[in-house]
Amino acid sequence: MMRARTKGRQTDVRRGATSAHTSFDELPDSALGHIDTYGHLAESAGWWLVGWMPRPFQSADEVSIPARLETAHGATSVEVVLAYFERPDLDHSRVGVIAYVGGTRRLAEGLRRLLVRIDGVTYGMQATLSTSRADDRGLYDLVRPTLVFQSADSAGREHLRGLSSRPGYVGVDTLNTIASVVALDVDAAIVCPPDGLLLKGWCLSVSEQVAAVRLRCGAKIAEISFADCVPVHRPDVIEALGARYGVQDPVVGFMAYLPNIYQADEPLYFEVELKNGGRAYRGVTVSRQQGLEAIRAVLEGTECQFADIDTMFDRVFGPAVRALNAARLAQPFTVEAHRYGSLPPKPTCTLVIPLYGRIDYLEYQMALLSADPASHSLDIVYVLDDPPKRRDALMLAESVYARFRLPFRLLLSSANRGFGPASNLGLAYSEAPYVAFMNSDVFPGKSGWLDALTARLKRQPKLGAIGPRLLYEDGSVQHEGCVYRPLPEYSDWHFVDHPNKGRRPEAGKGVLIAPVITAACLVMKRDIANDLKGFDESFIIGDFEDADLCQRLAAKGLQCAVDTDVVLHHLERQSQNRLSGHWRMNLTLYNAWLHQRRWFAGSTPRGGR
């Protein structure tokens, strides 16, 4: 099975600030050595310190040594590589030192001290007024000859010689210098907060001449095997370059998700290393897209049906979209609450209805609700999840109340956050002992429908949630309970199926227990809804939130049911008609993946509840 992964992701000294918590003895200044010169060498993606310190009793020959870097901004646990050299100006109790700490240019700004732990003893050196800051060229001219001609043999010395001899990326693409060997391009590089990166691109190479392809960003590095990435057909690339590289197979495109690689203040680039020792670079420009725009960019342009979607979502789409959605929901937003009329002092049920796209449905719903005398005991809460329609919604709400005189509230969110978050916002404002979640394209029929559903919950304590039978406008069945069905075209993932969908409804059968009921109209006790924290906001836009809620109710020993004696009409998804296109299906698959891994697989994706 193909896997989208990175090989050899490093956790050594080039990462910086990664060592375990190590205690360091506090040393007086008199016991510290001195930092003569220091600076950040871009080619090595790290800081170099040249000076001296008290001679270690026994020099550790390890490449990575625990250390603490102290600056004007605080102390950071790091790992350091040391090389020693003899200095004629020092007596035998002291030794010259070259120290390397991987990290960004910000890591050692305001440098004060470096403390290292060798064989259980703390050693160190400090910066003083005589310490100088060298630029890249001056630092290289000092470090390189010292490592080559003066320093003592050690594992640290060999490691530092390799770092100091690396030809660096200076913002100029040099991949054209080895164009006969490899061609590489990135169509999209999408930042997935806090530091992940999704790449879409293609690569053609003469593989026997390429030693490695790496993605670098400051001190972070990921070695990439394109053969292990999610493959993508790119016939356009083959048509343009296939003959040149002797490649006919169109599967030269790739998708990869790389965690812990991106740093906003560092250049991002590919490094191609040849087996003859040559290196070339290709800069990568990251996308500035965020939120749903970035999620769409991740998911669009890929056909998933009958594909290896386990790999696609486990390795690429899943972690990338999850990170983007978490960052989207973490953004601050405001809520305006508008009240129309006087609410009943003791409402029987709070009716929570998100509005998105077709806000005109508010008018139709309120017209039908106002015809039901029982509606005057309800706490009706509309939640606008479509900020551009704020002005239109306020005007419509004023008009609707003036005509129908049925009290309600309108919550205006400053951000489009999706069905689950919008419903949870309405739940947070609810005031009744029962809460009914309902879509704006669901329309009630006979009077007393909501009282009938809450009465079922009162009489049957094992019920955690109940909904009505839903019909299409032509009178055929849209929903009367759901079951799970694995779909072979989607790797046998479990999808929600409506068994009688499209059929003519039979006579009322009373209460039907079902594994899943739709949140197009779902009623439950408010205490239970609050205990479950409403809908899981990990699901995006409006798929599988209700299935997940039903699963969490079942985990508490509570059932879900449909009361077939209560009938409403549902236009189904008309309120979401602005979210069309191929990417929307892949977004549904993301929600299906999240639900599958949570409830029907052995592992749970990180970040879920």
Side-chain angles (χ1 to χ4, degrees):
M1 181 180 293
M2 302 289 288
R3 295 290 183 191
R5 65 176 185 267
T6 58
K7 291 185 175 179
R9 191 167 292 117
Q10 300 196 16
T11 56
D12 64 13
V13 295
R14 282 174 288 181
R15 293 276 299 276
T18 59
S19 64
H21 294 290
T22 302
S23 65
F24 291 85
D25 299 329
E26 290 299 328
L27 299 179
D29 290 348
S30 60
L32 292 169
H34 188 258
I35 301 171
D36 299 326
T37 304
Y38 76 104
H40 187 273
L41 194 58
E43 286 87 345
S44 63
W47 288 85
W48 296 75
L49 291 69
V50 181
W52 62 268
M53 70 179 187
R55 186 184 297 272
F57 177 73
Q58 180 179 354
S59 298
D61 204 32
E62 298 178 2
V63 171
S64 178
I65 299 172
R68 187 172 75 198
L69 191 69
E70 298 180 3
T71 71
H73 309 291
T76 305
S77 294
V78 296
E79 293 180 349
V80 65
V81 180
L82 298 178
Y84 306 101
F85 62 98
E86 297 297 335
R87 288 177 45 168
D89 59 323
L90 301 175
D91 60 37
H92 186 69
S93 67
R94 295 174 291 179
V95 66
V97 175
I98 297 177
Y100 169 84
V101 180
T104 68
R105 289 187 180 274
R106 295 181 180 178
L107 179 64
E109 293 292 350
L111 178 64
R112 289 181 176 174
R113 300 198 305 179
L114 177 70
L115 302 179
V116 299
R117 192 76 169 166
I118 301 174
D119 296 331
V121 179
T122 299
Y123 302 86
M125 50 185 180
Q126 64 180 332
T128 67
L129 292 176
S130 63
T131 300
S132 62
R133 172 78 179 267
D135 59 19
D136 283 12
R137 187 72 263 164
L139 194 63
Y140 180 84
D141 290 343
L142 173 64
V143 166
R144 184 64 183 165
T146 302
L147 287 170
V148 172
F149 300 111
Q150 293 181 255
S151 58
D153 289 339
S154 68
R157 175 202 186 194
E158 294 308 309
H159 190 85
L160 295 184
R161 287 179 66 179
L163 286 175
S164 66
S165 63
R166 180 196 298 166
Y169 174 70
V170 292
V172 178
D173 290 346
T174 57
L175 202 59
N176 61 327
T177 62
I178 56 169
S180 62
V181 177
V182 63
L184 169 66
D185 200 8
V186 173
D187 301 310
I190 301 168
V191 178
C192 304
D195 54 12
L197 196 69
L198 181 131
L199 294 178
K200 292 183 178 182
W202 54 267
C203 182
L204 289 171
S205 69
V206 181
S207 57
E208 61 270 15
Q209 297 186 39
V210 177
V213 177
R214 306 180 185 95
L215 187 69
R216 292 184 177 273
C217 191
K220 297 185 177 183
I221 178 174
E223 187 167 328
I224 299 175
S225 170
F226 292 108
D228 292 335
C229 294
V230 171
V232 179
H233 283 73
R234 292 297 301 267
D236 57 323
V237 174
I238 294 301
E239 181 179 356
L241 298 172
R244 178 176 180 177
Y245 292 89
V247 178
Q248 297 180 344
D249 186 351
V251 186
V252 294
F254 67 89
M255 292 187 299
Y257 174 73
L258 311 177
N260 191 33
I261 186 68
Y262 181 69
Q263 295 173 282
D265 56 346
E266 295 291 337
L268 179 70
Y269 58 95
F270 277 105
E271 176 188 70
V272 179
E273 181 182 355
L274 303 182
K275 291 183 178 179
N276 64 9
R279 282 183 173 88
Y281 302 98
R282 175 66 180 243
V284 177
T285 302
V286 299
S287 168
R288 299 302 176 189
Q289 295 168 309
Q290 297 178 342
L292 283 178
E293 183 185 18
I295 291 172
R296 178 170 186 162
V298 168
L299 295 175
E300 67 184 356
T302 303
E303 175 61 54
C304 294
Q305 191 175 30
F306 297 107
D308 183 7
I309 64 172
D310 288 298
T311 294
M312 287 182 177
F313 283 87
D314 286 343
R315 298 288 182 173
V316 180
F317 287 157
V321 172
R322 183 172 55 222
L324 287 166
N325 191 50
R328 179 179 75 94
L329 294 178
Q331 292 297 311
F333 69 101
T334 60
V335 180
E336 294 179 42
H338 295 261
R339 186 185 298 265
Y340 300 89
S342 299
L343 300 182
K346 292 184 178 181
T348 57
C349 183
T350 296
L351 187 56
V352 175
I353 307 169
L355 288 173
Y356 178 83
R358 293 289 303 272
I359 65 170
D360 56 313
Y361 286 150
L362 182 154
E363 180 179 11
Y364 308 142
Q365 274 188 332
M366 289 297 289
L368 293 170
L369 288 169
S370 66
D372 183 355
S375 295
H376 287 270
S377 66
L378 300 180
D379 170 27
I380 302 172
V381 180
Y382 281 95
V383 182
L384 181 68
D385 195 42
D386 198 347
K389 293 189 178 293
R390 176 184 178 278
R391 180 174 178 274
D392 293 341
L394 286 171
M395 293 177 62
L396 181 60
E398 292 280 1
S399 172
V400 164
Y401 180 68
R403 282 178 285 155
F404 304 126
R405 310 307 295 179
L406 180 62
F408 69 98
R409 287 182 286 169
L410 175 63
L411 306 181
L412 304 175
S413 173
S414 64
N416 168 220
R417 307 179 79 240
F419 171 81
S423 297
N424 290 345
L425 181 59
L427 174 62
Y429 278 78
S430 63
E431 298 181 0
Y434 292 87
V435 60
F437 299 102
M438 192 163 84
N439 284 6
S440 61
D441 57 358
V442 170
F443 303 106
K446 294 181 179 180
S447 298
W449 62 276
L450 194 47
D451 287 342
L453 293 176
T454 56
R456 291 287 193 186
L457 291 176
K458 292 175 184 177
R459 291 196 299 268
Q460 297 180 237
K462 286 189 176 291
L463 285 181
I466 193 166
R469 172 186 275 172
L470 297 176
L471 303 180
Y472 287 114
E473 59 269 31
D474 64 359
S476 62
V477 172
Q478 188 270 315
H479 173 76
E480 51 184 29
C482 300
V483 296
Y484 287 112
R485 296 195 190 282
L487 297 184
E489 63 268 36
Y490 295 113
S491 193
D492 283 329
W493 289 359
H494 290 68
F495 285 76
V496 174
D497 182 47
H498 299 256
N500 293 322
K501 192 170 187 176
R503 297 180 180 178
R504 305 313 299 178
E506 299 179 7
K509 302 176 183 178
V511 173
L512 299 179
I513 303 299
V516 176
I517 63 172
T518 178
C521 187
L522 182 151
V523 187
M524 59 195 306
K525 288 183 177 180
R526 187 181 66 169
D527 288 347
I528 294 177
N530 283 329
D531 182 53
L532 294 175
K533 298 181 181 179
F535 295 98
D536 189 334
E537 298 180 3
S538 301
F539 298 93
I540 307 175
I541 302 303
D543 289 306
F544 286 89
E545 295 100 330
D546 44 15
D548 176 80
L549 181 68
C550 293
Q551 291 283 10
R552 289 187 283 134
L553 284 169
K556 288 182 169 291
L558 296 172
Q559 297 175 321
C560 298
V562 168
D563 187 341
T564 60
D565 295 327
V566 180
V567 178
L568 281 73
H569 285 81
H570 185 201
L571 301 186
E572 193 177 27
R573 290 193 181 275
Q574 291 302 305
S575 60
Q576 297 183 18
N577 60 2
R578 283 165 55 189
L579 290 178
S580 59
H582 182 74
W583 82 280
R584 182 64 178 87
M585 181 59 204
N586 286 346
L587 186 60
T588 295
L589 289 178
Y590 167 78
N591 290 332
W593 166 81
L594 189 63
H595 188 265
Q596 178 76 16
R597 293 294 181 259
R598 182 171 297 169
W599 297 109
F600 296 100
S603 60
T604 299
R606 295 178 181 177
R609 291 188 182 179

